[in-house]
Amino acid sequence: MWDWLYRLLFLMFVGFCFRVAAQVSRKSLVDVIITAFTVFAGSIIVSGFVLSFLHKTADVRFWAGFVFIPPFIFYLLFSKVFIREYEDFSVISLLGSTLQKTWTWYKELSLYLKVVFGLMIVTLATVSFISLLLVLFTVPNEWDSMTGHLVRVMYFIQRGTMAPFYGTNWNIDTYPRSVCGIQIYSYLITGKIENAFKLINYLSYWISVLAAYGIAQSISRNTTASVFSALAMGLLPNVLLQSTTTDTDIVLMGYVSCLVYFLFAYHQTHRRRYLYLAGLIFGIGLGHKITLVLQFPSLFMVALYVFVFGVPNVKYSLGQLKHFFTSAVIGVLLFTLPTGYLSNLQRYNHPIGPPTATRHQSVERAGGIFSPNLYEQGTRNFLRYGFDFMNLDGLTNLPGVIEGPNQWFKAPFVWLEGKVHARLREETDFTIRPFSYNRDYIFMNGLPYWGIMGFALLWPLVFLVLFGVIRSKPLLFLAGAALLHAAALSYSAPYDPFKGRYFISTSIYVIPFLTVLFTKRHSLLGSRELTLKSYILFIVALACASAFFAVLWNERCLPVAHNGHPSAFDEGRIERMSYAREDITPAYKNFDRIVPEHATVALADINDDYEYPLFGKDLTRKLIPINPFERGLQPIPKEAEYLFFAASVIKPQPGDIRLGTDTTAATRAKMIVPAEDYWLRRLK
């Protein structure tokens, strides 16, 4: 009974966020939804910080009521202080009129555009529905979540607070905590449904799609161009696959897409409310993940257009910046400072974390920010990621594509790289894993880039604008923003074949380039552009196929049985969670069989070990880490009933149970990181 009451309160909270957004937004459904998302996320994050301070993080009763307070304050500030003009409308009536206008728009399209848009809409509806089923009915199993992200969420719930503590993986201690509040709220308010941890990612996916529409509309004032841009965003393989995970990158993408949308909305309407909203979402984004700093140069390029080069009165426009900066300061105070950066400074003298981690994944690995080696190796990384973009992502899941077409069109670039002696494969001192012209299948399958839409359409349009072949002032600044973000990812950290997920934020700056297909002299709206229309139809068809097969045959989360692997809907919990680490499967299954569901277990494992599966199918076991990152082995607590340990941490003794890690040479050779030899000791 209480679970249903809390779910009803959750729906009321969502409705309240929309009600508040309607008082702030103009009469646009996209505007209302993006504003409601900002209110929704910000309210939960602030509530999480307050409840953590009160040691009520695990108490759903406090969550259920407290989340209503921030949006009410937001409503009072925006309705009484920040906004002088309103548009009176109902969200329900706005939804109805928007659907009617959309249907009318589609009916008025030419036959060619009906085919193009029909193909994209049907594909997007299909893959997003499959993704929703995967979100709702399959367990999380991403590497970082199994070692850190979801592990700390469970520790926070156990402890009743998000205060810092030392865990086995360094991310448990140091990673920003704002998204944890959203995940904890989603989990508790739905009646402790584990899959609710994924909801913020799936929501961020749709927010990014809507923001793509809004940004394109602000630039082009063309509905057809804007819808095409939104659909293309939703079909990018890396964006699609991130929507079903609990990784943090697509959530950051959602926040940044809102920020860029609000800036362009201000440029279009000159309403200062959008500057206040931009400042708040800036604070939310920075509090979510420090890698937002890598987008500061890109956001600066957007701001240059919005406030300087895209306005008739620069002096007045710059004067309006005070509203953004005021709101940004408030956003940083509310959403950034409490998220964990200050505690990291106190404990590690660095806002990110311990020196071991920062050296492993930062410029220090190449000699530091002033080292010539950094710029040499960073340039190599820039070229490496260029090769990574040149993949038929999604289609590479089909037999023969990797060995055939995926290599054929890259052959000239491979030849050129050899002639200029760039040494992309030979140099490895600024790489996490060595570079290959064709990434390993596990990376291509689970962590794709943009597929054919990226290298055959989006990036060529960027360079056509950059070199002046296509003239557009806003797109010229977005081209700079896109390249600056790609450069930031290349020079700030070692090359990593996992980086496909980081480039999803780059798409925010690149997707609007699709508007030129509808607004320039050579346009898809014209009647004679046969070559252009044929090319775009070819790209769209392949992009739709890429999106479909990227989702259908994503081995991390298979919706259907494929290639000897069962469907994610049918496979066992431990088997699902140990994807890509099959050597741990027998040990974890034995642990689950032996240890009672409500037992207290001390953990003496290492940084790379999966801890989340050990909480059990109902997440009811209490886990206590006793080998925290770089702090050495701690005493076993008296309350522990079992000790789970790696033989490399604690030496087994007579009576201990060997859990059965698959340590055969053939299995270990296939693993990215081989598992430890796991044991179990009964303490009581």
Side-chain angles (χ1 to χ4, degrees):
M1 174 184 174
W2 287 108
D3 286 347
W4 286 106
L5 175 61
Y6 293 135
R7 290 166 189 167
L8 177 61
L9 287 171
F10 169 68
L11 294 177
M12 292 174 62
F13 169 61
V14 173
F16 187 45
C17 290
F18 271 96
R19 175 61 180 159
V20 171
Q23 296 296 310
V24 174
S25 307
R26 52 187 159 144
K27 196 173 181 179
S28 160
L29 186 61
V30 169
D31 202 64
V32 171
I33 294 174
I34 292 176
T35 304
F37 173 74
T38 303
V39 176
F40 174 84
S43 299
I44 298 174
I45 291 169
V46 168
S47 300
F49 292 149
V50 174
L51 294 181
S52 174
F53 177 77
L54 299 174
H55 286 258
K56 297 296 181 183
T57 295
D59 197 326
V60 67
R61 297 170 299 176
F62 284 84
W63 277 106
F66 200 92
V67 291
F68 285 89
I69 298 176
F72 181 69
I73 296 173
F74 179 93
Y75 167 75
L76 291 178
L77 288 174
F78 271 77
S79 62
K80 306 299 182 184
V81 179
F82 296 145
I83 297 180
R84 298 174 182 174
E85 70 284 342
Y86 304 92
E87 294 184 45
D88 188 22
F89 61 89
S90 161
V91 176
I92 300 298
S93 63
L94 181 61
L95 175 62
S97 63
T98 301
L99 291 174
Q100 181 61 44
K101 290 178 181 177
T102 303
W103 176 241
T104 302
W105 160 81
Y106 185 78
K107 288 196 300 183
E108 293 176 351
L109 293 175
S110 66
L111 178 61
Y112 167 80
L113 288 179
K114 283 181 179 177
V115 171
V116 170
F117 280 96
L119 184 60
M120 296 177 78
I121 291 169
V122 169
T123 304
L124 182 63
T126 302
V127 295
S128 61
F129 179 69
I130 294 173
S131 297
L132 179 60
L133 294 178
L134 292 170
V135 167
L136 296 177
F137 300 112
T138 66
V139 295
N141 66 345
E142 300 78 40
W143 187 299
D144 287 349
S145 293
M146 298 298 99
T147 59
H149 295 325
L150 291 185
V151 177
R152 69 199 187 116
V153 166
M154 292 310 304
Y155 283 150
F156 292 154
I157 292 174
Q158 282 184 182
R159 294 161 54 86
T161 177
M162 294 193 292
F165 73 101
Y166 296 100
T168 309
N169 186 282
W170 71 276
N171 278 331
I172 294 173
D173 308 330
T174 61
Y175 214 79
R177 295 167 178 78
S178 61
V179 74
C180 295
I182 298 177
Q183 291 172 322
I184 291 169
Y185 172 75
S186 303
Y187 172 69
L188 295 177
I189 205 70
T190 55
K192 295 187 176 180
I193 296 176
E194 181 181 32
N195 291 348
F197 289 139
K198 302 180 185 180
L199 292 180
I200 183 61
N201 289 50
Y202 191 72
L203 178 59
S204 298
Y205 165 76
W206 281 110
I207 291 298
S208 301
V209 170
L210 293 175
Y213 172 89
I215 296 166
Q217 183 71 0
S218 295
I219 292 172
S220 68
R221 309 293 202 276
N222 185 300
T223 299
T224 305
S226 305
V227 174
F228 187 81
S229 300
L231 293 172
M233 173 69 90
L235 292 173
L236 294 180
N238 61 348
V239 178
L240 262 174
L241 295 195
Q242 280 280 296
S243 70
T244 62
T245 70
T246 50
D247 287 334
T248 58
D249 304 285
I250 195 170
V251 182
L252 179 63
M253 178 193 184
Y255 295 150
V256 175
S257 63
C258 291
L259 172 55
V260 175
Y261 168 78
F262 287 139
L263 290 175
F264 275 102
Y266 167 74
H267 181 264
Q268 181 182 3
T269 65
H270 301 292
R271 295 180 179 179
R272 66 181 186 183
R273 70 184 72 173
Y274 292 111
L275 297 181
Y276 291 119
L277 289 168
L280 291 177
I281 201 70
F282 171 82
I284 292 174
L286 188 58
H288 174 76
K289 197 168 185 180
I290 195 65
T291 51
L292 179 64
V293 172
L294 299 179
Q295 297 194 55
F296 281 4
S298 302
L299 294 171
F300 180 72
M301 292 297 292
V302 174
L304 275 180
Y305 171 73
V306 168
F307 295 105
V308 180
F309 292 97
V311 294
N313 189 335
V314 176
K315 184 177 180 180
Y316 171 80
S317 180
L318 291 176
Q320 296 302 299
L321 273 173
K322 63 179 180 288
H323 301 296
F324 170 76
F325 286 123
T326 299
S327 181
V329 169
I330 295 172
V332 168
L333 291 174
L334 289 177
F335 308 115
T336 305
L337 294 185
T339 201
Y341 299 133
L342 294 180
S343 63
N344 289 343
L345 277 171
Q346 292 173 341
R347 294 184 298 155
Y348 302 112
N349 296 317
H350 196 290
I352 298 177
T356 304
T358 55
R359 280 196 300 267
H360 179 63
Q361 297 184 1
S362 72
V363 296
E364 296 176 31
R365 185 158 174 176
I369 190 73
F370 299 110
S371 169
N373 185 54
L374 171 65
Y375 300 98
E376 178 184 338
Q377 302 302 335
T379 302
R380 285 195 175 95
N381 285 350
F382 194 82
L383 297 174
R384 288 168 179 144
Y385 290 128
F387 272 101
D388 285 351
F389 267 102
M390 286 190 289
N391 281 299
L392 294 166
D393 296 308
L395 297 177
T396 51
N397 293 339
L398 296 171
V401 172
I402 293 179
E403 301 79 8
N406 203 61
Q407 290 193 23
W408 298 340
F409 70 84
K410 282 194 285 190
F413 300 97
V414 173
W415 175 84
L416 182 62
E417 190 271 338
K419 287 297 182 182
V420 300
H421 304 291
R423 295 177 56 81
L424 302 185
R425 293 179 299 171
E426 292 82 1
E427 294 282 347
T428 59
D429 65 334
F430 201 46
T431 63
I432 299 293
R433 292 178 65 85
F435 168 75
S436 171
Y437 296 126
N438 287 294
R439 295 191 300 157
D440 291 346
Y441 179 75
I442 189 173
F443 302 131
M444 217 177 283
N445 176 265
L447 295 160
Y449 284 69
W450 299 349
I452 193 169
M453 182 73 78
F455 70 81
L457 186 58
L458 288 170
W459 284 116
L461 288 175
V462 170
F463 287 106
L464 287 174
V465 170
L466 198 63
F467 295 138
V469 179
I470 299 175
R471 296 186 179 276
S472 169
K473 187 182 290 185
L475 294 182
L476 181 62
F477 283 89
L478 285 177
L483 292 177
L484 283 171
H485 188 231
L489 292 173
S490 301
Y491 289 88
S492 65
Y495 167 80
D496 189 344
F498 284 98
K499 279 282 178 71
R501 59 197 176 106
Y502 289 178
F503 279 95
I504 58 175
S505 289
T506 316
S507 62
I508 300 165
Y509 310 108
V510 176
I511 282 292
F513 284 81
L514 295 174
T515 59
V516 304
L517 299 175
F518 300 87
T519 58
K520 297 301 178 180
R521 183 165 61 91
H522 299 288
S523 167
L524 295 179
L525 298 176
S527 58
R528 298 182 178 180
E529 303 294 339
L530 182 60
T531 302
L532 177 64
K533 288 183 176 182
S534 300
Y535 181 73
I536 296 302
L537 181 59
F538 172 73
I539 296 298
V540 166
L542 287 182
C544 289
S546 297
F548 181 73
F549 287 111
V551 172
L552 190 70
W553 288 344
N554 173 24
E555 292 186 358
R556 182 193 61 79
C557 206
L558 279 170
V560 294
H562 172 65
N563 201 24
H565 300 286
S567 163
F569 299 112
D570 300 326
E571 196 171 16
R573 176 183 176 83
I574 296 298
E575 289 84 354
R576 266 294 78 219
M577 289 187 172
S578 57
Y579 164 72
R581 299 200 70 178
E582 292 89 350
D583 51 349
I584 75 171
T585 304
Y588 278 57
K589 290 182 73 174
N590 285 330
F591 174 90
D592 227 25
R593 177 178 54 83
I594 297 170
V595 180
E597 291 186 5
H598 292 84
T600 299
V601 184
L603 304 180
D605 51 346
I606 66 170
N607 182 70
D608 284 318
D609 284 333
Y610 279 19
E611 291 186 354
Y612 183 77
L614 303 177
F615 284 101
K617 65 181 180 67
D618 295 320
L619 307 179
T620 50
R621 293 193 188 105
K622 182 178 181 180
L623 305 183
I624 306 173
I626 64 170
N627 189 36
F629 186 74
E630 292 191 337
R631 295 183 65 82
L633 189 63
Q634 307 296 307
I636 300 173
K638 293 181 180 180
E639 62 182 303
E641 301 167 87
Y642 292 85
L643 172 65
F644 173 88
F645 64 97
S648 62
V649 179
I650 293 178
K651 185 178 180 180
Q653 62 187 30
D656 291 343
I657 304 169
R658 192 173 191 178
L659 291 173
T661 302
D662 186 348
T663 56
T664 58
T667 300
R668 294 177 74 82
K670 295 187 296 183
M671 299 297 103
I672 298 174
V673 177
E676 296 292 306
D677 185 10
Y678 301 115
W679 292 70
L680 184 69
R681 180 179 300 171
R682 287 190 174 94
L683 302 174
K684 294 182 181 179

